[in-house]
Amino acid sequence: MLFSKLGNNRRSSSIYIFPRYMAEPWQGPPKQGLYDPTFEKEACGVGFIAAIDGRRSNKIIRDAQRLAISMNHRGACACDNDTGDGAGILAAIPHDFYAAQLKDAQNVQLPSFGKYATGIFYLDKLHHKESEDKFTTLAEELGMSVLAWRTVPTDSSTIGTVAKNSEPFMRQVFVTLKNDTSEEEYDSKYFVLRKRATHLIPAPGKRFYICSLSRRVIVYKGQLTSDQLWTYFPDLVNPHFETYLALVHTRFSTNTFPSWERAHPLRSLCGTEPGAASALELP
């Protein structure tokens, strides 16, 4: 331990005794044993919460919000003090919430959970229709059909100037296979669709990025701080958004430039190292 704490039953205050090798309370220990202060580096923050019984509830998303905000110090922000290096959340698809949204807004009936995939795309307003049409064509070529596109509700009033200058136009797709098949085939088809779209649709001057495309989970993310994540995406504070798991991430951009695309790089499983996070991409 760097210091010991002596409690006093008669007083509410505590006395801290610092080891002799620490000249001042704000100084860390020198190199000793396996410890080397040169290895001290900033790092991203990752948190995970789940209901072990698999039951969906809004409480999981509220607990994830508290967890993410508690990790705000693990991320970083730009000189405007309001543009985060990146923050996001991966959650189990809130099927009932999306089904109600599409039914009310577009009169679209979603298949049962697991029979469709969904994901949020980063596009630009000028070319988004063209990109969506190309994605629909690719889906048709793979034996799929696009059920609907939904504009993701956002509130940019609290984010920084740097983030606003590069803010994407967000669209959410819902896609399904035309013929019923095995779970493995579902996952394989959606994986191939995302990969083909990622390689074939982007073009100079046209923004195109897929945050995730899965029949199990959904990713909300952006060039935000951990607390901005919840005000920027109204979906995440809707009481009808229910999930049984949530993985939150806040980014400290140690050796790369911050961007909307690089925030929360976790589509399924993750591992974190000092200053970086790595993702294992699974369908």
Side-chain angles (χ1 to χ4, degrees):
M1 295 180 62
L2 298 184
F3 54 80
S4 59
K5 179 178 178 181
L6 300 180
N8 189 321
N9 293 332
R10 297 181 181 179
R11 301 170 59 185
S12 59
S13 61
S14 300
I15 302 173
Y16 290 90
I17 300 178
F18 295 88
R20 296 176 182 176
Y21 55 71
M22 295 173 64
E24 300 292 347
W26 59 83
Q27 292 182 333
K31 182 177 180 180
Q32 54 182 302
L34 297 177
Y35 175 77
D36 188 337
T38 61
F39 294 152
E40 294 271 356
K41 299 183 184 297
E42 299 85 353
C44 302
V46 177
F48 178 78
I49 185 169
I52 59 176
D53 59 5
R55 293 185 179 181
R56 299 172 183 271
S57 71
N58 185 252
K59 182 180 184 301
I60 294 293
I61 206 76
R62 297 283 65 79
D63 288 344
Q65 179 180 7
R66 185 170 59 180
L67 177 60
I69 293 175
S70 297
M71 293 194 305
N72 215 20
H73 66 286
R74 299 294 291 173
C77 63
C79 293
D80 62 8
N81 290 326
D82 287 318
T83 296
D85 275 13
I89 179 172
L90 176 150
I93 291 174
H95 172 73
D96 292 344
F97 173 69
Y98 288 152
Q101 291 288 316
L102 292 182
K103 182 66 175 177
D104 293 344
Q106 303 182 37
N107 197 30
V108 172
Q109 185 73 39
L110 270 184
S112 59
F113 176 72
K115 298 297 184 181
Y116 66 92
T118 185
I120 295 174
F121 290 19
Y122 288 172
L123 308 172
D124 61 89
K125 288 187 176 181
L126 184 61
H127 303 102
H128 80 90
K129 186 63 170 63
E130 179 183 347
S131 297
E132 291 170 15
D133 289 343
K134 289 182 178 180
F135 181 85
T136 299
T137 299
L138 290 176
E140 293 284 343
E141 292 174 357
L142 291 171
M144 306 180 198
S145 59
V146 172
L147 299 171
W149 288 93
R150 171 182 181 248
T151 299
V152 180
T154 58
D155 179 2
S156 61
S157 62
T158 62
I159 68 175
T161 302
V162 177
K164 284 182 181 179
N165 289 340
S166 58
E167 184 181 11
F169 180 55
M170 298 190 192
R171 294 277 281 171
Q172 183 178 5
V173 71
F174 295 84
V175 59
T176 188
L177 266 66
K178 294 180 180 180
N179 299 314
D180 198 12
T181 184
S182 65
E183 291 189 0
E184 292 77 11
E185 186 69 12
Y186 269 110
D187 293 335
S188 176
K189 290 284 189 180
Y190 295 139
F191 179 82
V192 171
L193 175 59
R194 178 170 64 82
K195 285 297 187 180
R196 289 194 65 187
T198 298
H199 287 284
L200 298 178
I201 296 179
K206 299 178 182 178
R207 191 171 195 169
F208 185 86
Y209 175 82
I210 303 176
C211 296
S212 66
L213 185 64
S214 170
R215 64 187 182 91
R216 298 186 183 93
V217 297
I218 184 74
V219 171
Y220 287 78
K221 70 175 190 174
Q223 197 172 347
L224 313 165
T225 60
S226 291
D227 51 347
Q228 290 172 348
L229 178 68
W230 311 92
T231 55
Y232 183 79
F233 290 109
D235 282 359
L236 298 180
V237 293
N238 191 301
H240 299 294
F241 192 111
E242 297 183 338
T243 182
Y244 57 85
L245 66 86
L247 187 155
V248 291
H249 179 272
T250 183
R251 184 165 185 255
F252 194 111
S253 183
T254 307
N255 54 6
T256 56
F257 288 107
S259 73
W260 287 81
E261 285 78 1
R262 292 192 182 101
H264 191 84
L266 318 172
R267 289 191 173 100
S268 186
L269 302 178
C270 78
T272 185
E273 299 176 356
S278 57
L280 172 61
E281 293 188 2
L282 298 177

